[in-house]
């Protein structure tokens, strides 16, 4: 199995990714997370204008195997939600870094980005989890 972890993203230990675009961040779940979840059947996301603190639950992903909370990788205000996932949650499985994005945040604590894992550190984190 070959999983993709783009080098231009930052990652949480809870398997969310963050792509910074200026002072905005796009958030989704990683290829590892979607693979572990199995077929995603429902995604619950916050409302636009919701304010999130780093680590706060921002939503829920339900798959044919389990239900998992989603966590904010950094603090910010939600400025967009991927409504396409309402009718097409399978995009999380088929394109986790593209059409499967979940929310866009206006990041209020850019220093928190530096505390996230880079791709190499995330790959090491995954390898460690798989050895358990």
């Amino acid at each position: 199995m070959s999983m993709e972890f783009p080098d231009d993203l930052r990652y949480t230990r809870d398997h969310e990714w963050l792509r910074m675009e200026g002072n905005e961040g796009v958030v989704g779940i990683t290829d590892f997370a979607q693979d572990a979840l199995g077929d995603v059947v429902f995604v619950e996301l916050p409302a636009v204008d919701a304010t999130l603190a780093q680590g706060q639950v921002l939503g829920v992903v339900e798959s044919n195997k389990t239900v998992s909370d989603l966590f904010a990788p950094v603090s910010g205000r939600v400025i967009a939600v991927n409504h396409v996932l309402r009718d097409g949650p399978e995009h999380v499985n088929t394109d986790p870094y593209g059409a499967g994005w979940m929310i866009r945040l206006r990041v209020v604590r850019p220093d928190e980005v530096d505390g996230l894992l880079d791709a190499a550190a995330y790959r090491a984190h995954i390898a460690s989890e798989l050895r358990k």
Side-chain angles (χ1 to χ4, degrees), residues 21-73:
E21 297 176 358
N23 63 353
E24 298 177 3
V26 180
V27 177
I29 64 169
T30 67
D31 200 8
F32 177 82
Q34 69 79 21
D35 185 68
L37 286 168
D39 293 335
V40 173
V41 295
F42 178 75
V43 179
E44 179 183 308
L45 298 173
V48 171
D49 285 333
T51 300
L52 301 170
Q54 185 179 41
Q56 182 178 350
V57 173
L58 70 86
V60 173
V61 173
E62 182 176 340
S63 71
N64 58 2
K65 293 181 181 176
T66 189
V67 176
S68 296
D69 288 335
L70 300 167
F71 301 96

Side-chain angles (χ1 to χ4, degrees), residues 87-117:
D87 296 325
E90 67 276 6
H91 291 298
V92 174
N93 294 112
T94 59
D95 192 10
Y97 304 112
W101 70 276
M102 296 183 174
I103 63 169
R104 177 179 287 270
L105 290 170
R106 180 160 327 271
V107 177
V108 295
R109 298 271 322 268
D111 56 306
E112 292 174 344
V113 176
D114 295 334
L116 299 176
L117 304 173

